[in-house]
Amino acid sequence: MSSIDWLNEVHNRKDSLLKDLQGLLQIKSVLDEENATDDAPFGQGVKEALTYMLTLGEKDGFVSKNVQNVAGHLLFGEGAESLGILCHVDVVPEGDGWTSDPYKAEIRDGKIFARGALDDKGPTMAAYYAMKIVKELHLPLTKEVRMIIGTDEESDWRCVDTYFQQESMPTLGFAPDADFPIIFAEKGIADFDIVQKFSKTVSDTGEVKILSFASGRRYNMVPDFARAVLEVKEGEQTEVIQRYQNYLKLENVPGRYLVDNGDLVLELEGVSAHGLEPNNGVNAGLKLVNFLVELETDEKAAHYFQFVRNFFVNDSRGKKLGIDYEDEMTGELTLNAGILEYHFDQGGKIGQTVRYPVTNDMDKSKEKLTKLLTEHDFSLENFTDSKPHYVEKDSELIQILSRVYEEQTGNKAKLISIGGGTYARSLEKGVAFGPLFPGREDIAHKKDEYMYLEDLMKATAIYAQAIYELAK
């Protein structure tokens, strides 16, 4: 065991760690392409968060580099080989229903509350202070230690694509962006849109004309809000309202209605969760679809809403689509309808993320899915596929991280697999390593996201020892 009391070193820097973390959390670094500029390709908030970390590193004596304002790194040490620590400072939208301001970074009840506290600004600052401790202790190293900071992890990973076009790939590394003990395997991630191709001319709109329907902002989030705007024939509005109120009561979900310029607006609240496991949330869009599909609408609307109900309601495993799959290493395929949209003039679409097992042949699944969609007058568009990633259990990387985790916690370092995608898959030899400890609730992407201060300190100590052991 190392003779250094790593946790004590962290506590000696606790006040400055929390102050620096609050500063980072108070930056709203959500992707904002509508207001992007050449100088801030993903929006001003995202650029500000990257600049914050690089400036902090420069102040503490690290060598910094900004790569086109979409990524950057902080490094110290020298060697033919390098240790990469892959982090990100972008966050998903905050959503609704927070107890406190999601960007205030309030500390209460032994926790720090903010969007990004757990995913991934808290862990990023923990890893940064781990590097800082190793550097300040002047420990002998044989490898370069490099923190790579991305800004588009929650969307399309354009940050790491750009970064690795200009910078070398670390020899090995870890991403503090998931669970402890060690994530040795990550499912593949396929994102795509299912687009309605209804070509018939709509004449009779039925008793209810669905002008618009929208739910969700991201593929990888379970939508927590849905809204539909209806044009109801005269004399029928009261009945639709009564049916909706009965439905909300039956399903035990919050919702409301209002009349706006004669149009009936229906709103429904769900529970947000990470799209890698949709069953941890309540999909507001699918809940509202389940009501709208029972209304007497025109043929195009009926085509869209019946399709969504038939293939996605109460099925997050792709069984109805015929693409379900399971293996021993990474478990079941999961399917999240993260974006649902319908417009009377344009038709509808469903934005999906599929997290598929390591041994699943996604090319065959895609072929099967395309055939089914064509038969139902839908198409598969905007398809992207990040292949599964895993590291052999007996590798030196996993052996060292296992030992460090066990020394710091006294618990067995169980190897686990996840449905999420971390930056670790950018490395040939990379694993996800923390920060969520076993038994803690995973509230990433949810309202009132937080990280226990105790866990933050403990994770920092683990990362510090891990950096030293891997780079010495």
Side-chain angles (χ1 to χ4, degrees):
M1 178 181 288
S2 170
S3 59
I4 300 170
D5 187 338
W6 297 101
L7 190 57
N8 185 61
E9 293 293 338
V10 176
H11 279 289
N12 288 341
R13 299 163 174 82
K14 179 179 178 179
D15 291 344
S16 61
L17 191 164
L18 291 178
K19 180 182 177 183
D20 288 338
L21 175 55
Q22 284 181 307
L24 180 60
L25 290 169
Q26 286 164 1
I27 301 170
K28 184 176 180 178
S29 50
V30 176
L31 177 66
D32 182 17
E33 291 184 287
E34 289 185 7
N35 298 299
T37 64
D38 291 341
D39 188 49
F42 303 146
Q44 291 297 328
V46 171
K47 178 191 173 185
E48 185 181 346
L50 174 63
T51 302
Y52 181 94
M53 285 303 303
L54 296 180
T55 302
L56 183 64
E58 291 168 2
K59 177 176 68 71
D60 288 330
F62 292 97
V63 176
S64 74
K65 183 168 185 178
N66 185 327
V67 179
Q68 298 180 23
N69 281 326
V70 301
H73 69 226
L74 297 169
L75 63 83
F76 76 107
E78 296 180 350
E81 297 184 334
S82 59
L83 168 65
I85 304 152
L86 298 102
C87 308
H88 68 92
V89 292
D90 60 310
V91 297
V92 297
E94 61 275 14
D96 303 312
W98 284 68
T99 304
S100 57
D101 185 336
Y103 299 105
K104 186 178 179 182
E106 183 176 305
I107 295 175
R108 62 179 189 272
D109 303 324
K111 307 169 187 174
I112 185 164
F113 290 82
R115 174 57 84 226
L118 188 63
D119 181 16
D120 185 47
K121 291 179 176 179
T124 295
M125 194 59 70
Y128 174 77
Y129 265 78
M131 284 177 57
K132 183 177 178 178
I133 288 168
V134 174
K135 179 176 177 292
E136 290 178 349
L137 291 178
H138 303 290
L139 298 172
L141 305 178
T142 62
K143 293 184 180 73
E144 172 193 274
V145 179
R146 186 183 353 152
M147 171 179 278
I148 299 169
I149 306 164
T151 63
D152 189 38
E153 192 273 349
E154 298 292 359
S155 296
D156 298 322
W157 288 31
R158 290 165 292 182
C159 48
V160 284
D161 291 342
T162 301
Y163 180 84
F164 285 121
Q165 288 171 6
Q166 299 188 23
E167 301 296 323
S168 63
M169 179 72 68
T171 313
L172 76 171
F174 64 87
D177 189 27
D179 297 354
F180 281 125
I182 300 169
I183 308 294
F184 82 105
E186 301 178 13
K187 290 180 179 178
I189 304 174
D191 292 341
F192 51 86
D193 293 325
I194 294 174
V195 181
Q196 185 181 24
K197 295 297 180 182
F198 189 86
S199 56
K200 297 180 182 178
T201 301
V202 177
S203 53
D204 182 16
T205 60
E207 292 183 355
V208 178
K209 179 179 181 180
I210 301 179
L211 299 175
S212 66
F213 161 73
S215 182
R217 301 182 181 97
R218 297 284 180 90
Y219 294 116
N220 64 346
M221 291 181 71
V222 175
D224 62 0
F225 181 76
R227 187 176 193 265
V229 180
L230 315 179
E231 184 180 287
V232 185
K233 282 189 176 179
E234 188 174 350
E236 302 294 332
Q237 197 171 89
T238 301
E239 181 187 347
V240 173
I241 290 171
Q242 185 61 55
R243 289 172 62 183
Y244 186 56
Q245 289 177 316
N246 292 340
Y247 176 77
L248 294 175
K249 185 175 181 180
L250 179 67
E251 292 292 322
N252 193 29
V253 292
R256 66 197 64 82
Y257 74 90
L258 59 97
V259 178
D260 183 14
N261 291 326
D263 294 331
L264 177 60
V265 179
L266 305 181
E267 297 179 341
L268 188 146
E269 295 179 22
V271 178
S272 183
H274 199 297
L276 63 88
E277 179 43 275
N279 292 348
N280 288 339
V282 177
N283 192 312
L286 295 182
K287 284 289 184 184
L288 190 51
V289 164
N290 220 22
F291 172 76
L292 295 174
V293 76
E294 297 295 336
L295 301 177
E296 185 183 333
T297 63
D298 64 85
E299 196 174 355
K300 182 166 69 173
H303 174 252
Y304 173 79
F305 288 100
Q306 287 173 7
F307 177 83
V308 175
R309 180 182 65 178
N310 292 344
F311 289 99
F312 300 104
V313 173
N314 297 324
D315 182 13
S316 63
R317 284 356 190 209
K319 292 180 180 179
K320 295 177 181 178
L321 291 171
I323 59 171
D324 54 308
Y325 190 93
E326 183 176 4
D327 68 18
E328 185 176 350
M329 187 185 304
T330 44
E332 293 180 291
L333 175 149
T334 63
L335 176 76
N336 180 59
I339 304 171
L340 297 111
E341 296 177 358
Y342 176 85
H343 298 277
F344 178 76
D345 295 328
Q346 304 164 12
K349 77 168 188 176
I350 311 107
Q352 300 281 342
T353 185
V354 173
R355 308 301 171 102
Y356 63 93
V358 166
T359 58
N360 190 163
D361 186 337
M362 178 44 67
D363 291 335
K364 289 184 178 179
S365 297
K366 180 184 177 185
E367 183 179 337
K368 185 186 297 186
L369 180 59
T370 301
K371 183 174 183 293
L372 180 144
L373 295 179
T374 301
E375 292 171 354
H376 289 81
D377 293 322
F378 283 81
S379 66
L380 187 68
E381 300 182 11
N382 305 316
F383 184 90
T384 62
D385 183 16
S386 176
K387 297 299 183 183
H389 171 78
Y390 72 99
V391 175
E392 296 295 339
K393 295 182 179 181
D394 60 356
S395 68
E396 182 182 16
L397 173 64
I398 287 182
Q399 295 304 310
I400 290 176
L401 292 181
S402 296
R403 176 169 56 82
V404 169
Y405 178 83
E406 291 173 0
E407 288 180 3
Q408 287 291 325
T409 66
N411 298 318
K412 183 69 176 175
K414 179 184 177 182
L415 301 184
I416 52 181
S417 63
I418 63 166
T422 74
Y423 278 1
R425 68 174 61 211
S426 299
L427 303 174
E428 184 176 336
K429 291 183 180 179
V431 298
F433 190 45
L436 192 67
F437 285 96
R440 295 299 200 196
E441 181 185 5
D442 184 359
I443 37 68
H445 294 203
K446 297 182 182 180
K447 66 180 181 181
D448 288 340
E449 179 181 349
Y450 65 85
M451 188 170 186
Y452 282 98
L453 301 186
E454 175 189 358
D455 292 356
L456 180 66
M457 302 300 124
K458 193 188 302 183
T460 305
I462 291 172
Y463 294 148
Q465 185 181 348
I467 290 168
Y468 173 58
E469 298 286 352
L470 288 169
K472 69 180 183 181

